[in-house]
Amino acid sequence: SQQGEEDPQALSIQEGENATMNCSYKTSINNLQWYRQNSGRGLVHLILIRSNEREKHSGRLRVTLDTSKKSSSLLITASRAADTASYFCATRKAGGTSYGKLTFGQGTILTVHP
Amino acid sequence: GAVVSQHPSRVICKSGTSVKIECRSLDFQATTMFWYRQFPKKSLMLMATSNEGSKATYEQGVEKDKFLINHASLTLSTLTVTSAHPEDSSFYICSARHSFVDEKLFFGSGTQLSVL
Protein backbone atom coordinates (compact mmCIF):
# COMPACT_ATOMS: atom_id res chain seq x y z
CA SER A 1 0.00 0.00 0.00
CA GLN A 2 1.13 3.56 -0.65
CA GLN A 3 1.96 5.22 2.59
CA GLY A 4 3.21 8.49 1.24
CA GLU A 5 0.82 11.34 0.89
CA GLU A 6 1.99 14.41 -0.88
CA ASP A 7 0.60 17.86 -1.06
CA PRO A 8 -0.20 19.76 -2.98
CA GLN A 9 -1.28 17.33 -5.69
CA ALA A 10 -0.58 20.03 -8.24
CA LEU A 11 1.40 23.24 -8.06
CA SER A 12 1.59 25.95 -10.68
CA ILE A 13 4.13 28.76 -10.36
CA GLN A 14 6.05 31.29 -12.39
CA GLU A 15 9.68 30.92 -13.35
CA GLY A 16 11.95 32.27 -10.65
CA GLU A 17 9.57 31.48 -7.81
CA ASN A 18 10.23 28.82 -5.21
CA ALA A 19 8.26 25.58 -5.14
CA THR A 20 7.59 23.66 -1.95
CA MET A 21 6.19 20.15 -1.88
CA ASN A 22 5.33 18.17 1.21
CA CYS A 23 5.25 14.47 1.93
CA SER A 24 3.87 12.57 4.89
CA TYR A 25 4.36 8.94 5.74
CA LYS A 26 3.10 6.48 8.30
CA THR A 27 5.76 4.04 9.40
CA SER A 28 9.26 4.45 10.81
CA ILE A 29 11.75 4.88 8.02
CA ASN A 30 15.40 4.28 7.29
CA ASN A 31 15.55 6.98 4.66
CA LEU A 32 13.38 9.16 2.49
CA GLN A 33 14.12 9.95 -1.12
CA TRP A 34 12.76 12.36 -3.67
CA TYR A 35 12.42 11.50 -7.34
CA ARG A 36 11.40 13.44 -10.39
CA GLN A 37 9.44 12.08 -13.35
CA ASN A 38 8.99 13.81 -16.64
CA SER A 39 5.77 12.93 -18.43
CA GLY A 40 5.85 9.41 -19.85
CA ARG A 41 9.34 8.71 -18.60
CA GLY A 42 11.10 6.90 -15.79
CA LEU A 43 12.06 8.44 -12.49
CA VAL A 44 15.27 10.23 -11.69
CA HIS A 45 16.71 10.28 -8.20
CA LEU A 46 17.10 13.77 -6.76
CA ILE A 47 18.14 13.48 -3.16
CA LEU A 48 18.18 11.08 -0.20
CA ILE A 49 17.88 12.03 3.44
CA ARG A 50 18.44 9.55 6.24
CA SER A 51 16.28 9.25 9.32
CA ASN A 52 18.98 10.80 11.50
CA GLU A 53 19.31 13.85 9.27
CA ARG A 54 17.11 16.92 9.43
CA GLU A 55 18.09 18.89 6.37
CA LYS A 56 20.01 18.36 3.18
CA HIS A 57 20.92 20.52 0.23
CA SER A 58 21.79 19.75 -3.35
CA GLY A 59 22.09 22.64 -5.77
CA ARG A 60 18.69 24.36 -5.88
CA LEU A 61 17.10 21.59 -3.84
CA ARG A 62 16.56 21.65 -0.11
CA VAL A 63 15.01 18.74 1.72
CA THR A 64 13.90 18.66 5.32
CA LEU A 65 12.83 15.71 7.38
CA ASP A 66 10.82 15.74 10.59
CA THR A 67 10.61 12.19 11.90
CA SER A 68 8.45 13.24 14.86
CA LYS A 69 5.80 14.44 12.44
CA LYS A 70 6.63 11.81 9.84
CA SER A 71 6.90 14.43 7.17
CA SER A 72 9.35 15.83 4.66
CA SER A 73 9.44 18.82 2.37
CA LEU A 74 11.21 19.48 -0.90
CA LEU A 75 12.01 23.07 -1.79
CA ILE A 76 13.11 23.99 -5.29
CA THR A 77 14.48 27.50 -5.38
CA ALA A 78 14.52 29.84 -8.37
CA SER A 79 12.42 27.45 -10.41
CA ARG A 80 12.82 27.08 -14.15
CA ALA A 81 10.44 25.91 -16.85
CA ALA A 82 12.60 22.79 -17.14
CA ASP A 83 11.65 21.87 -13.56
CA THR A 84 8.15 21.08 -14.80
CA ALA A 85 7.59 17.44 -13.84
CA SER A 86 6.01 15.17 -11.25
CA TYR A 87 7.84 14.84 -7.97
CA PHE A 88 7.56 11.80 -5.74
CA CYS A 89 8.76 11.07 -2.28
CA ALA A 90 9.70 7.49 -1.48
CA THR A 91 10.43 5.86 1.83
CA ARG A 92 12.35 2.82 2.89
CA LYS A 93 10.95 1.26 6.04
CA ALA A 94 13.15 0.94 9.06
CA GLY A 95 14.47 -2.54 9.77
CA GLY A 96 14.08 -5.45 7.42
CA THR A 97 16.47 -6.57 4.74
CA SER A 98 14.69 -5.50 1.59
CA TYR A 99 17.21 -2.95 0.45
CA GLY A 100 15.90 -0.74 -2.27
CA LYS A 101 12.25 -1.58 -1.69
CA LEU A 102 10.60 1.80 -1.57
CA THR A 103 7.07 2.98 -1.03
CA PHE A 104 6.17 5.93 -3.22
CA GLY A 105 3.92 8.83 -2.44
CA GLN A 106 1.14 10.02 -4.69
CA GLY A 107 3.25 12.74 -6.23
CA THR A 108 3.03 16.45 -6.88
CA ILE A 109 2.64 17.72 -10.41
CA LEU A 110 4.71 20.88 -10.72
CA THR A 111 4.18 23.27 -13.60
CA VAL A 112 6.58 26.18 -13.99
CA HIS A 113 5.40 28.83 -16.40
CA PRO A 114 8.03 30.78 -18.36
CA GLY B 1 25.95 7.66 -13.83
CA ALA B 2 24.29 4.27 -13.79
CA VAL B 3 21.98 3.64 -16.73
CA VAL B 4 18.99 1.37 -16.93
CA SER B 5 17.60 0.60 -20.34
CA GLN B 6 14.01 -0.56 -20.75
CA HIS B 7 12.50 -1.87 -23.96
CA PRO B 8 10.18 -1.51 -25.66
CA SER B 9 9.09 2.00 -24.80
CA ARG B 10 5.66 1.43 -26.26
CA VAL B 11 3.79 -1.69 -27.29
CA ILE B 12 0.32 -2.27 -28.65
CA CYS B 13 -0.98 -5.80 -28.71
CA LYS B 14 -4.14 -7.76 -29.16
CA SER B 15 -6.02 -9.22 -26.26
CA GLY B 16 -4.80 -12.71 -25.41
CA THR B 17 -1.24 -12.25 -26.56
CA SER B 18 1.84 -12.12 -24.33
CA VAL B 19 4.22 -9.22 -24.11
CA LYS B 20 7.79 -9.24 -22.85
CA ILE B 21 9.45 -6.16 -21.41
CA GLU B 22 13.19 -6.05 -20.85
CA CYS B 23 15.10 -4.12 -18.24
CA ARG B 24 18.88 -3.94 -18.51
CA SER B 25 21.46 -2.31 -16.33
CA LEU B 26 24.02 -1.09 -18.85
CA ASP B 27 27.05 -0.21 -16.79
CA PHE B 28 26.57 -1.91 -13.46
CA GLN B 29 25.47 -5.19 -11.98
CA ALA B 30 22.06 -5.18 -10.39
CA THR B 31 21.39 -8.03 -8.04
CA THR B 32 17.94 -6.63 -7.40
CA MET B 33 15.49 -5.08 -9.81
CA PHE B 34 11.97 -3.85 -9.14
CA TRP B 35 8.94 -3.75 -11.37
CA TYR B 36 6.21 -1.15 -10.98
CA ARG B 37 2.94 -0.30 -12.56
CA GLN B 38 1.73 3.27 -12.89
CA PHE B 39 -1.65 4.58 -13.91
CA PRO B 40 -2.04 8.08 -15.42
CA LYS B 41 -1.18 10.79 -12.93
CA LYS B 42 -0.88 8.22 -10.19
CA SER B 43 1.87 6.86 -8.04
CA LEU B 44 4.01 3.84 -8.69
CA MET B 45 2.69 0.54 -7.45
CA LEU B 46 5.37 -2.02 -6.71
CA MET B 47 4.51 -5.28 -8.42
CA ALA B 48 7.48 -7.47 -7.60
CA THR B 49 11.09 -7.63 -6.54
CA SER B 50 13.33 -9.51 -8.92
CA ASN B 51 16.46 -11.14 -7.55
CA GLU B 52 19.16 -12.54 -9.78
CA GLY B 53 19.17 -16.32 -9.76
CA SER B 54 16.08 -16.75 -7.61
CA LYS B 55 12.34 -16.47 -7.82
CA ALA B 56 10.76 -13.05 -7.80
CA THR B 57 8.90 -11.85 -4.75
CA TYR B 58 5.45 -10.58 -5.66
CA GLU B 59 3.46 -7.97 -3.80
CA GLN B 60 0.09 -8.88 -2.42
CA GLY B 61 -2.58 -8.94 -5.07
CA VAL B 62 -0.20 -9.32 -8.01
CA GLU B 63 -0.75 -12.53 -9.96
CA LYS B 64 2.58 -14.25 -10.43
CA ASP B 65 1.25 -16.42 -13.25
CA LYS B 66 0.02 -13.33 -15.02
CA PHE B 67 3.17 -11.31 -14.63
CA LEU B 68 6.15 -13.59 -15.13
CA ILE B 69 9.48 -12.22 -14.01
CA ASN B 70 12.85 -13.66 -14.91
CA HIS B 71 16.17 -12.33 -13.67
CA ALA B 72 18.62 -14.65 -15.32
CA SER B 73 21.68 -12.45 -15.14
CA LEU B 74 23.04 -9.57 -13.12
CA THR B 75 22.17 -7.13 -15.87
CA LEU B 76 18.82 -8.32 -17.21
CA SER B 77 15.35 -8.77 -15.82
CA THR B 78 12.28 -9.41 -17.92
CA LEU B 79 8.58 -8.98 -17.22
CA THR B 80 6.18 -10.98 -19.36
CA VAL B 81 2.53 -10.05 -19.29
CA THR B 82 0.82 -13.27 -20.24
CA SER B 83 -2.53 -13.43 -22.02
CA ALA B 84 -2.84 -9.67 -21.85
CA HIS B 85 -6.25 -8.07 -21.50
CA PRO B 86 -7.32 -4.43 -21.83
CA GLU B 87 -7.22 -4.01 -18.05
CA ASP B 88 -3.50 -4.76 -18.18
CA SER B 89 -2.96 -1.59 -20.19
CA SER B 90 -0.69 0.60 -18.13
CA PHE B 91 2.75 2.16 -17.83
CA TYR B 92 5.28 -0.36 -16.53
CA ILE B 93 8.59 0.80 -15.09
CA CYS B 94 11.59 -1.10 -13.85
CA SER B 95 14.28 0.04 -11.49
CA ALA B 96 17.58 -1.36 -10.37
CA ARG B 97 19.61 -1.02 -7.26
CA HIS B 98 23.29 -0.53 -7.85
CA SER B 99 25.00 -3.00 -5.59
CA PHE B 100 27.60 -0.58 -4.32
CA VAL B 101 25.99 2.82 -4.58
CA ASP B 102 23.92 4.10 -1.70
CA GLU B 103 20.28 3.19 -1.76
CA LYS B 104 18.96 5.23 -4.58
CA LEU B 105 17.33 3.45 -7.46
CA PHE B 106 17.99 3.85 -11.15
CA PHE B 107 14.91 3.68 -13.32
CA GLY B 108 14.23 2.58 -16.84
CA SER B 109 12.29 4.93 -19.08
CA GLY B 110 9.13 2.87 -18.85
CA THR B 111 6.94 0.88 -21.22
CA GLN B 112 3.46 2.00 -22.20
CA LEU B 113 1.40 -1.12 -22.83
CA SER B 114 -1.88 -0.82 -24.67
CA VAL B 115 -3.97 -3.96 -25.06
CA LEU B 116 -6.71 -3.77 -27.65
Side-chain angles (χ1 to χ4, degrees):
Chain A
S1 62
Q2 299 292 339
Q3 71 163 347
E5 295 293 331
E6 295 181 63
D7 89 275
Q9 292 185 353
L11 180 61
S12 182
I13 59 175
Q14 294 294 128
E15 225 172 14
E17 295 181 340
N18 295 341
T20 299
M21 290 160 267
N22 303 296
C23 166
S24 62
Y25 56 91
K26 297 176 183 174
T27 65
S28 295
I29 62 171
N30 178 284
N31 66 67
L32 184 145
Q33 304 177 36
W34 285 89
Y35 288 83
R36 165 198 169 125
Q37 182 182 35
N38 284 61
S39 181
R41 306 289 294 175
L43 280 70
V44 175
H45 180 270
L46 295 176
I47 195 166
L48 179 152
I49 186 166
R50 300 195 181 280
S51 59
N52 60 353
E53 297 176 309
R54 292 296 166 259
E55 187 171 312
K56 209 163 183 181
H57 296 256
S58 177
R60 294 185 294 114
L61 305 180
R62 173 178 169 255
V63 170
T64 62
L65 179 64
D66 187 333
T67 52
S68 66
K69 295 181 179 178
K70 291 186 168 59
S71 67
S72 173
S73 68
L74 171 68
L75 168 67
I76 303 174
T77 60
S79 64
R80 305 166 182 166
D83 294 329
T84 295
S86 293
Y87 292 81
F88 293 91
C89 67
T91 54
R92 181 193 156 200
K93 287 175 64 175
T97 57
S98 187
Y99 296 100
K101 183 175 178 179
L102 302 177
T103 300
F104 285 83
Q106 298 303 308
T108 293
I109 300 172
L110 173 66
T111 303
V112 182
H113 300 281
Chain B
V3 177
V4 174
S5 175
Q6 185 174 344
H7 290 282
S9 58
R10 183 177 295 272
V11 58
I12 301 173
C13 68
K14 293 182 179 179
S15 186
T17 60
S18 294
V19 174
K20 179 184 282 188
I21 302 170
E22 291 190 349
C23 182
R24 294 179 184 271
S25 55
L26 297 185
D27 50 1
F28 67 101
Q29 294 182 333
T31 55
T32 303
M33 290 185 174
F34 301 90
W35 287 95
Y36 308 82
R37 184 172 178 174
Q38 185 180 32
F39 291 101
K41 297 186 178 182
K42 296 293 184 182
S43 186
L44 279 73
M45 182 190 79
L46 179 64
M47 298 174 65
T49 302
S50 170
N51 297 298
E52 185 267 338
S54 64
K55 290 184 178 180
T57 302
Y58 290 82
E59 295 299 302
Q60 191 173 11
V62 178
E63 300 176 58
K64 61 180 181 181
D65 295 330
K66 173 75 172 177
F67 299 99
L68 299 179
I69 291 172
N70 183 279
H71 195 156
S73 76
L74 286 171
T75 59
L76 174 64
S77 176
T78 60
L79 167 68
T80 301
V81 183
T82 62
S83 186
H85 290 283
E87 57 265 30
D88 298 324
S89 297
S90 189
F91 191 61
Y92 294 88
I93 312 176
C94 69
S95 71
R97 179 173 176 266
H98 192 306
S99 302
F100 304 107
V101 176
D102 216 330
E103 289 193 44
K104 64 183 180 182
L105 297 179
F106 298 92
F107 283 80
S109 54
T111 297
Q112 181 64 52
L113 171 64
S114 299
V115 185
L116 304 178

